[in-house]
């Protein structure tokens, strides 16, 4: 697949991607590859102790364990790697890259991914956010509800208890879409998923085609929000296919929002999408109002926030 030379580098990210975007842009300006910049950007976010949706400081599951998911995709080769449900290793984006480059596989889960991390010489560490679980349990006690972990697991599988106790279940993810100076695209997604999830729950972030997809010919797409929605309609790959079939970027994003709306999301569920085409056009979409995303091109002094489009009804 031929690539252009000397196009402006571009990074598109979720709103929490500023520090990673700055680090990755430095690399791109020096001629670095999109796949390296995407991995670096996600690592910077994973290492940030103040970032509570990604990496070691992510939000825990119902048993107080942080379980991380990540994926990385190379738009030039369509190679991809992903890990899901990883405990005690924070840089899951680099594990996803190792799956892509060192194994004949695409997705590793839990124990297997942790074994690979150990083989690669990564050091296991305790996660830092068990306090978040305690704060949540205190909310039950305040409301006169005392539940064992087993009872909690049972109830949360209906997703009713968290929604009664919180305005919405906290979660978050970081997305990076990158174009390098050669015109190659790459995408990276890293997350601790939905807070207080049922142990073993996997969202859209490591599911290629749902929360992440990248193809030099058509563009790159990544998602944040309630991963169950993006999995049900394969949001990332769908948007790419709409581009392939000739839709413009905004039209393709609107089509994906319509598909998610048709799922009739539960209270508190929503979906955000970022997308970029090979010519560097970018856009953000959301099923809810007032959401933003970041973009940063080689000509800009710093990353800037853009508004995400919501659904424009056709009738
Ligand atoms: N999409 C992530 C998941 O479902 C969570 C998020 O982005 O807030 O695991």
């Amino acid at each position: 697949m031929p690539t252009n030379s000397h196009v402006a580098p571009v990074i598109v990210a979720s709103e929490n991607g500023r520090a990673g975007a700055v680090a990755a842009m430095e690399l791109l300006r020096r001629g670095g590859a999109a796949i390296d910049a995407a991995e670096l950007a996600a690592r910077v976010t994973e290492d940030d102790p103040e970032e509570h949706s990604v990496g070691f400081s992510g939000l825990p599951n119902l048993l107080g364990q942080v379980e991380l998911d990540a994926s990385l995709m190379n738009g030039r080769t369509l190679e991809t790697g992903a890990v899901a449900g990883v405990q005690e290793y924070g840089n899951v984006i680099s594990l996803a890259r190792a799956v892509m480059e060192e194994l004949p596989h695409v997705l590793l889960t839990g124990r297997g991914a942790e074994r690979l991390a150990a083989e690669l010489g990564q050091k296991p560490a305790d996660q830092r956010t068990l306090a978040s679980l305690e704060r949540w349990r205190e909310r039950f006690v305040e409301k006169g509800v005392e539940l064992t972990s087993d009872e909690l697991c049972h109830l949360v599988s209906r997703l009713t208890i968290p929604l009664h106790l919180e305005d919405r279940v906290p979660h978050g993810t970081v997305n990076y879409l990158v174009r390098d100076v050669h015109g190659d695209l790459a995408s990276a997604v890293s997350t601790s998923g939905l807070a207080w999830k049922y142990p073993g729950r996997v969202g859209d972030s490591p599911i290629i085609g749902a929360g992440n997809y990248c193809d030099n010919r058509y563009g790159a797409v990544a998602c944040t929000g309630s991963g169950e929605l993006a999995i049900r309609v394969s949001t990332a790959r769908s948007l790419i296919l709409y581009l392939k079939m000739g839709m413009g970027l905004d039209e393709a994003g609107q089509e994906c929002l319509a598909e998610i709306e048709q799922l009739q999301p539960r209270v508190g569920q929503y979906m955000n999408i970022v997308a970029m085409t090979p010519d560097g056009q970018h856009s953000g979409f959301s099923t809810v109002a007032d959401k933003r995303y970041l973009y940063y091109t080689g000509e800009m002094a710093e990353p800037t926030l853009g508004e995400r489009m919501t659904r424009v009804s056709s009738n």
Side-chain angles (χ1 to χ4, degrees):
M1 219 176 288
T3 55
N4 307 326
S5 56
H6 308 305
V7 293
V10 183
I11 298 173
V12 179
S14 47
E15 202 175 341
N16 55 348
R18 184 172 292 270
V22 169
M25 185 56 80
E26 275 182 39
L27 183 64
L28 293 173
R29 284 181 172 139
R30 295 198 308 269
I35 192 77
D36 294 331
E39 181 190 1
L40 172 69
R43 274 187 82 102
V44 167
T45 316
E46 289 170 345
D47 286 341
D48 180 354
E50 300 307 317
E51 171 55 61
H52 295 302
S53 63
V54 179
F56 273 128
S57 303
L59 291 157
N61 69 14
L62 270 177
L63 302 177
Q65 303 150 337
V66 180
E67 291 180 321
L68 301 175
D69 304 333
S71 63
L72 189 69
M73 188 156 185
N74 184 332
R76 184 161 56 79
T77 60
L78 303 189
E79 288 171 317
T80 184
V83 292
V86 177
Q87 295 184 21
E88 298 185 352
Y89 292 92
N91 289 128
V92 276
I93 199 68
S94 296
L95 267 185
R97 184 158 188 178
V99 172
M100 177 171 90
E101 291 181 346
E102 299 190 23
L103 297 179
H105 306 311
V106 163
L107 172 61
L108 284 190
T109 61
R111 286 194 304 274
E114 292 152 14
R115 167 186 284 263
L116 180 65
E119 282 176 9
L120 294 170
Q122 294 189 17
K123 297 273 172 272
D126 283 341
Q127 273 115 0
R128 306 170 192 144
T129 55
L130 300 189
S132 154
L133 182 77
E134 287 315 311
R135 282 200 300 278
W136 189 58
R137 285 189 198 283
E138 281 161 19
R139 301 284 294 272
F140 281 96
V141 176
E142 276 165 27
K143 299 200 174 219
V145 184
E146 284 195 45
L147 295 171
T148 64
S149 286
D150 285 348
E151 287 164 335
L152 272 177
C153 285
H154 177 72
L155 287 167
V156 85
S157 62
R158 275 93 185 142
L159 279 180
T160 48
I161 290 289
L163 293 175
H164 283 305
L165 291 178
E166 301 283 343
D167 294 338
R168 66 179 185 83
V169 180
H171 47 97
T173 294
V174 75
N175 293 161
Y176 289 104
L177 311 179
V178 176
R179 183 180 76 166
D180 66 25
V181 296
H182 307 292
D184 283 330
L185 304 182
S187 53
V189 179
S190 185
T191 190
S192 57
L194 202 62
W196 314 307
K197 59 194 173 187
Y198 195 95
R201 176 266 186 193
V202 175
D204 58 325
S205 307
I207 307 296
I208 296 302
N212 187 358
Y213 203 80
C214 183
D215 183 328
N216 265 14
R217 295 167 297 178
Y218 312 113
V221 178
C223 302
T224 61
S226 314
E228 284 75 7
L229 299 174
I231 291 173
R232 288 167 68 194
V233 287
S234 307
T235 296
R237 171 80 166 136
S238 295
L239 203 156
I240 295 287
L241 282 178
Y242 293 136
L243 294 171
K244 177 178 179 177
M245 300 312 285
M247 284 188 187
L249 182 56
D250 290 349
E251 194 187 357
Q254 286 290 327
E255 194 61 34
C256 287
L257 291 181
E259 288 174 345
I260 290 163
E261 213 168 80
Q262 282 158 15
L263 298 176
Q264 302 186 322
R266 295 180 190 212
V267 175
Q269 284 190 317
Y270 69 94
M271 185 49 53
N272 299 320
I273 308 167
V274 283
M276 173 166 64
T277 50
D279 60 2
Q281 275 186 72
H282 50 84
S283 207
F285 307 92
S286 182
T287 59
V288 291
D290 302 324
K291 294 283 183 182
R292 297 181 300 175
Y293 73 104
L294 273 183
Y295 61 95
Y296 190 18
T297 70
E299 294 104 9
M300 292 165 60
E302 57 183 39
T304 299
L305 286 171
E307 301 294 323
R308 292 181 191 257
M309 298 173 66
T310 51
R311 171 113 173 90
V312 179
S313 178
S314 51
N315 44 23

